[in-house]
Amino acid sequence: RFRAEHALLQTAQLAQRPEARVASGDLVDDPLCEDTLRWESKNGKTCADYEENKWCTPKGETGSGWNNTWGSFKDWARESDGMTATKACCACGGGVHQEPPVHCICRGGGLIKCAGMTHSLLHCMSLCRPACKAEGLNFHACGSLREIEWIKRWFTPSKYRFDLCTNKTYNYLDDL
């Protein structure tokens, strides 16, 4: 049981570091990314142009289609605020990243249960503890759907009943 709890803690710590999320896709759901709405470079190019023409890489570097005589991304930043493609576009390592839902996992009396979800791992501890308490259970962990599947393998059905987060709809605790 200690190994399972320790792995969940490590996963939660990894999820707070963007570079670890990419490297550990087997542990943490990939974050969703959206290009910054209505972003255009100084000469009217969009994130779709940067991606299609391979002007950048997901690591925020110049891509194979970028001509070095054009200068740097800063030279082509949006004039109104200086935002570059590396800040605005997912294909260039920027964009607006949305975390996948984080599930509140509670345990007690032979039951492991989902008590709801949050939009952010950073808020999970403060929101999940009271949610579990309201269910008459102890807080166990914050986790993604992958981690929930992992918990099912570690905690045997002969000892525990499961009412875990599946494809059912759960309340987002941050919206309550």
Side-chain angles (χ1 to χ4, degrees):
R1 187 169 68 193
F2 172 76
R3 284 178 25 181
E5 290 172 0
H6 182 69
L8 286 172
L9 176 62
Q10 283 182 318
T11 301
Q13 291 167 343
L14 282 172
Q16 293 178 29
R17 298 193 332 258
E19 70 278 4
R21 281 197 297 259
V22 175
S24 65
D26 60 327
L27 293 177
V28 187
D29 293 329
D30 295 331
L32 304 174
C33 184
E34 292 181 18
D35 293 332
T36 300
L37 193 62
R38 292 188 289 279
W39 179 85
E40 289 185 355
S41 67
K42 187 185 333 188
N43 64 341
K45 300 301 181 187
T46 65
C47 290
D49 294 322
Y50 273 74
E51 182 175 14
E52 184 179 317
N53 293 299
K54 297 184 168 96
W55 291 336
C56 60
T57 70
K59 292 183 178 181
E61 300 166 352
T62 55
S64 60
W66 186 262
N67 185 330
N68 289 330
T69 62
W70 298 342
S72 71
F73 292 130
K74 285 184 181 179
D75 297 323
W76 300 99
R78 181 165 65 184
E79 289 183 328
S80 63
D81 60 5
M83 183 181 283
T84 65
T86 58
K87 295 286 184 211
C89 308
C90 299
C92 301
V96 180
H97 295 273
Q98 311 258 334
E99 295 292 333
V102 179
H103 304 272
C104 298
I105 302 166
C106 312
R107 187 174 73 182
L111 174 67
I112 296 177
K113 179 179 181 169
C114 178
M117 299 183 293
T118 74
H119 292 287
S120 168
L121 187 61
L122 297 175
H123 298 130
C124 185
M125 297 289 264
S126 62
L127 293 170
C128 289
R129 286 186 190 282
C132 289
K133 190 173 185 178
E135 298 273 345
L137 299 168
N138 297 314
F139 171 75
H140 177 71
C142 298
S144 70
L145 285 175
R146 283 190 192 151
E147 291 151 346
I148 288 167
E149 292 305 314
W150 194 81
I151 286 171
K152 287 179 185 177
R153 289 194 298 262
W154 273 92
F155 293 93
T156 59
S158 60
K159 289 186 178 180
Y160 292 95
R161 291 175 293 121
F162 297 109
D163 182 9
L164 290 173
C165 317
T166 59
N167 293 331
K168 294 189 254 177
T169 303
Y170 287 87
N171 289 335
Y172 274 91
L173 301 169
D174 355 43
D175 295 339
L176 299 177

